[in-house]
Amino acid sequence: MSLVEEAYRQAVDSMTSAEKFARMHAMLHWVRDMYARQLRDELGDVSAERLKWEVALRQYGSDRRTRELIQRKLQDVDS
């Protein structure tokens, strides 16, 4: 393990559960925002509702059942 990896591991290990959760939440929010920006570039001007479900599809679409549920919901959403 490198010095950087060791320092990182020590920093994470010293975090409280609440701090770890807050960090995870911030990373998830960052990923969702990144997907939303990419989708706005790809899809153009779409409604907030459609964008929400398109982001969900990108995040969770690798699971067949989840993908089907999201796609069904997308059929009911206006552009």
Side-chain angles (χ1 to χ4, degrees):
M1 184 178 305
S2 74
L3 289 176
V4 172
E5 290 170 322
E6 188 174 332
Y8 171 79
R9 177 58 39 213
Q10 288 175 357
V12 171
D13 288 346
S14 70
M15 290 179 178
T16 66
S17 294
E19 290 170 327
K20 288 177 184 176
F21 182 81
R23 186 167 186 253
M24 180 273 311
H25 185 266
M27 287 180 182
L28 182 59
H29 186 74
W30 180 83
V31 169
R32 285 182 180 157
D33 285 348
M34 180 189 65
Y35 284 154
R37 285 189 304 274
Q38 290 173 346
L39 286 161
R40 283 187 197 277
D41 288 344
E42 292 173 20
L43 302 174
D45 189 30
V46 296
S47 69
E49 182 76 5
R50 174 160 291 282
L51 185 61
K52 175 181 78 173
W53 288 107
E54 292 285 354
V55 168
L57 184 60
R58 184 151 304 179
Q59 281 189 285
Y60 307 112
S62 62
D63 177 74
R64 182 189 59 79
R65 181 68 180 130
T66 303
R67 181 181 217 39
E68 290 170 1
L69 292 170
I70 294 169
Q71 287 174 328
R72 193 175 325 149
K73 181 63 180 171
L74 276 167
Q75 291 173 355
D76 298 331
V77 176
D78 294 329
S79 299

